[in-house]
């Protein structure tokens, strides 16, 4: 763009400011892939795993920096399929059975949201008896993994008059049945999402629920005396329309920060070099990957966060719906 702009000033438009980069510096960067002002470019190919820091935060939340970047680490199938003893006392009682909530004032007739968990095995250490290592925070019990979080979200959205599908399938079991492994998890979830959207053409909003591997000090926030599992939005950039999802995630982040300051860790775009890159988000302009807390959070903290998220998310969905945008 610098080269073209130097020859024809009309190609970028009157109001577009093109950064002036000296031709020698530009040539050096193109030839070496090194950026003198960014030390990561010098070390990225030399230190194993350092390339992951190529990821940048589109919007950073309170206290968020490069040490907070979520990483995708492959786990062997025997770990994902392993049955673990559950700390039953840490599971939550279904609030809907305890105290039925009043019917919402208004309801969208169509089911427009699809909730699923590409990594359904992701769990939280407080829910697993005798487990202390983050890499072992896995469970196939739907009451003790992110499927339970997805269920919370479906119920909270229903209370706001928004109907959602919730896919509760055991992903490791289905992967193993096909002879697939962790690396096929998004390929598999893509099939399930496409099937859901084919079965119900009204589905426009996609939410993939995950749990981060970071520890408690990075994934917990106390707001007005209540402990929350912090949220993070991941947007895949390996498709041409990712900006729509990026804008959508940013709008949710800012709305959350206004009402629940510190709850959102931010919005992070990830391409093929730092993750899956797609995350099924090319299927809709209203698709997000939502990280709910980290390995040390408990279901009470996750529920507090899901209530807050549903509060903001439902407002945005209703605004778009009433404006005729979706």
């Amino acid at each position: 763009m610098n080269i073209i702009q130097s020859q024809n000033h009309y190609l970028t438009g009157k109001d577009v400011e093109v950064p002036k980069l000296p031709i020698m510096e530009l040539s050096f960067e193109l030839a070496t892939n090194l950026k003198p002002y960014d030390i990561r470019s010098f070390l990225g190919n030399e230190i194993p795993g350092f390339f992951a820091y190529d990821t940048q935060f589109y919007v950073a939340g309170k206290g968020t920096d490069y040490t907070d970047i979520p990483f995708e680490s492959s786990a062997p199938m025997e770990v994902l399929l392993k049955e673990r003893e559950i700390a039953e006392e840490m599971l939550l009682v279904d609030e809907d059975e305890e105290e039925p909530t009043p019917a919402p004032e208004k309801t969208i007739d169509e089911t427009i949201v699809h909730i699923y968990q590409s990594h359904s095995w992701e769990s939280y250490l407080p829910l697993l008896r005798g487990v202390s290592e983050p890499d072992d925070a896995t469970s196939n019990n739907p009451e003790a993994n992110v499927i339970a979080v997805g269920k919370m979200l479906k119920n909270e959205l229903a209370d706001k008059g928004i109907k959602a599908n919730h896919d509760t399938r055991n992903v490791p079991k289905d992967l193993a049945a096909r002879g697939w492994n962790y690396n096929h998890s998004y390929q598999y979830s893509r099939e399930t999402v496409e099937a859901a959207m084919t079965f119900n053409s009204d589905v426009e909003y996609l939410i993939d629920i995950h749990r981060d591997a970071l520890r408690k000090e990075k994934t917990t926030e106390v707001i007005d005396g209540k402990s929350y599992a912090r949220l993070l939005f991941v947007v895949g950039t390996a498709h041409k329309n990712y900006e729509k999802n990026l804008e959508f995630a940013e709008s949710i982040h800012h709305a959350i920060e206004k009402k629940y300051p510190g709850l959102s860790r931010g919005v992070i775009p990830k391409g093929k070099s730092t993750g899956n890159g797609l995350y099924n988000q090319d299927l809709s302009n209203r698709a997000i990957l939502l990280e709910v807390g980290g390995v040390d959070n408990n279901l009470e903290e996750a529920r507090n966060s899901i209530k807050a998220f549903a509060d903001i998310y439902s407002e945005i969905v209703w605004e778009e719906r009433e404006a005729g945008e979706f």
Side-chain angles (χ1 to χ4, degrees), residues 77 80 118 121 170-189:
M77 287 303 296
L80 304 185
S118 290
W121 60 81
N170 183 327
V171 175
K173 181 180 178 181
D174 291 351
L175 291 177
R178 297 187 181 196
W180 287 3
N181 59 31
Y182 171 98
N183 296 318
H184 296 93
S185 55
Y186 287 108
Q187 180 180 343
Y188 174 72
S189 66

Side-chain angles (χ1 to χ4, degrees), residues 80-81 116-124 137-150 166-175 182 185-186 188-189 208-211:
L80 304 185
L81 292 169
Y116 65 106
Q117 302 83 200
S118 290
H119 297 165
S120 67
W121 60 81
E122 292 178 341
S123 184
Y124 302 89
T138 65
S139 173
N140 290 305
N141 184 327
E143 295 183 10
N145 58 28
V146 288
I147 294 177
V149 180
H166 180 213
D167 192 324
T168 61
R169 71 188 70 210
N170 183 327
V171 175
K173 181 180 178 181
D174 291 351
L175 291 177
Y182 171 98
S185 55
Y186 287 108
Y188 174 72
S189 66
D208 190 2
I209 303 289
H210 287 254
R211 179 269 300 147

Side-chain angles (χ1 to χ4, degrees), residues 125-141:
L125 288 174
L127 309 183
L128 308 175
R129 203 178 305 280
V131 180
S132 58
E133 293 299 322
D135 289 345
D136 294 330
T138 65
S139 173
N140 290 305
N141 184 327

Side-chain angles (χ1 to χ4, degrees), residues 167-238:
D167 192 324
T168 61
R169 71 188 70 210
N170 183 327
V171 175
K173 181 180 178 181
D174 291 351
L175 291 177
R178 297 187 181 196
W180 287 3
N181 59 31
Y182 171 98
N183 296 318
H184 296 93
S185 55
Y186 287 108
Q187 180 180 343
Y188 174 72
S189 66
R190 183 181 187 85
E191 291 182 11
T192 67
V193 173
E194 287 179 330
M197 297 181 77
T198 299
F199 180 77
N200 180 9
S201 60
D202 294 320
V203 170
E204 295 171 334
Y205 295 84
L206 305 177
I207 305 175
D208 190 2
I209 303 289
H210 287 254
R211 179 269 300 147
D212 205 344
L214 289 178
R215 305 312 296 259
K216 194 174 183 68
E217 66 274 9
K218 295 285 189 178
T219 64
T220 310
E221 185 71 19
V222 177
I223 305 172
D224 294 332
K226 184 182 294 186
S227 186
Y228 292 78
R230 297 187 74 188
L231 305 175
L232 176 69
F233 301 91
V234 178
V235 176
T237 62

Side-chain angles (χ1 to χ4, degrees), residues 225-298:
K226 184 182 294 186
S227 186
Y228 292 78
R230 297 187 74 188
L231 305 175
L232 176 69
F233 301 91
V234 178
V235 176
T237 62
H239 62 100
K240 62 181 180 180
N241 295 319
Y242 77 90
E243 293 94 344
K244 297 292 185 180
N245 288 325
L246 203 58
E247 292 172 2
F248 183 57
E250 182 185 13
S251 68
I252 300 172
H253 163 82
H254 288 307
I256 286 176
E257 284 302 281
K258 186 175 181 180
K259 192 169 183 178
Y260 304 93
L263 177 56
S264 176
R265 291 166 52 203
V267 179
I268 183 170
K270 301 192 77 171
K272 285 288 187 181
S273 65
T274 55
N276 173 267
L278 280 179
Y279 303 108
N280 307 321
Q281 293 173 3
D282 57 318
L283 299 176
S284 172
N285 290 335
R286 289 295 182 269
I288 59 172
L289 187 156
L290 179 64
E291 301 266 8
V292 181
V295 290
D296 296 314
N297 290 110
N298 57 46

